[in-house]
Amino acid sequence: MSANPSWNPEQYLRFADERLRPAIDLIARIEHPGPGRVVDLGCGAGNALPLLAARFPGAEIRGVDGSAAMLAKAAAAGFPTEQADIATWSPAAAVDVLFTNAALHWLPDHAALFPRLLGALAPGGTLAVQMPAMHAAPLRALQDELAASPTWADRLAGIRSAPPILQADDYYDLLRPRVARLELWFTEYVHLLQGPDPVVQWAMGTSLRPYLDALPEAARPSFIQAYAEKLRPHYPAQADGTVLLPFRRLFILAAK
């Protein structure tokens, strides 16, 4: 089943600074002499919209997302927003910079998705993408393992979080023939998290949502507790109580 999770802006924004860091790094690498139209596809709560406006003064900056709750937060920043399914969205006019941070990994069939997004660009336009590359990490892998366990398998049959992204060479083969310039790189951030079971709290804002959405409310605390017990050996607290969360992300810049 394709993931189409509900979104809780407050839970997501508990780690707003950490989640924004990759967006800052990606925006800094975008090269465009003077875009007129900039779209943040999957803008969520709109954290990156002011950064895009500062990077491209004079451009029209628009946020697009499928979650009304997230867009309510984004609209409060004063930017135009559009509610749409990002899997099928197409712009009313060609876009100069199509920016998407931690959104496309939720969508299947990247072999069709990425060429379609390139088709939304104006001549000389840039597609700027960041996606988590965490499917094999305990944070993600243990969600699937727990959901498939005897205790939860009946209630979570067919439920999955974001699918694995492609390998870097697959994106190269897919994009290089279609663009004038292509950059790909990985960055692994080490987030310093505080509080009880902070990695669980992190996951509750993103990848754990499909499982929680599929469970009745009364069953969710037991699932969260079982997940926490599986995670703790992999993300132990340091002597001062800080928990380190290594988080690997793939970046793509594709310019027509």
Side-chain angles (χ1 to χ4, degrees), residues 100-148:
T100 176
N101 181 64
L104 298 188
H105 64 295
W106 288 101
L107 305 181
D109 194 9
H110 283 195
L113 173 66
F114 274 71
R116 184 174 65 77
L117 294 179
L118 289 176
L121 296 177
T126 294
L127 174 65
V129 178
Q130 182 275 120
M131 298 179 290
M134 289 288 288
H135 199 77
L139 169 72
R140 279 287 294 107
L142 292 177
Q143 296 171 6
D144 292 339
E145 181 180 302
L146 179 61

Side-chain angles (χ1 to χ4, degrees), residues 52-64:
L52 289 165
R55 177 72 176 82
F56 302 112
E60 174 195 326
I61 311 293
R62 175 176 294 271
V64 178

Side-chain angles (χ1 to χ4, degrees), residues 35-40 52-53 56-63 79-80 93 95-97:
R37 290 173 51 84
V38 175
V39 171
D40 183 349
L52 289 165
F56 302 112
E60 174 195 326
I61 311 293
R62 175 176 294 271
F79 293 92
V95 176
D96 297 303
V97 173

Side-chain angles (χ1 to χ4, degrees), residues 13 16 20 23-24 27-28 30 38-40 42-64 70-71 73-81 99 101:
L13 293 173
L20 191 59
I24 294 170
I27 290 169
I30 299 172
V38 175
V39 171
D40 183 349
C43 67
N47 302 45
L49 296 174
L51 301 176
L52 289 165
R55 177 72 176 82
F56 302 112
E60 174 195 326
I61 311 293
R62 175 176 294 271
V64 178
M70 286 292 206
L71 285 176
K73 289 281 187 182
F79 293 92
T81 60
F99 171 88
N101 181 64

Side-chain angles (χ1 to χ4, degrees), residues 150-168:
T151 303
W152 300 100
D154 288 345
R155 283 176 281 187
L156 295 174
I159 303 300
R160 295 291 183 270
S161 190
I165 63 172
L166 305 179
Q167 299 297 315

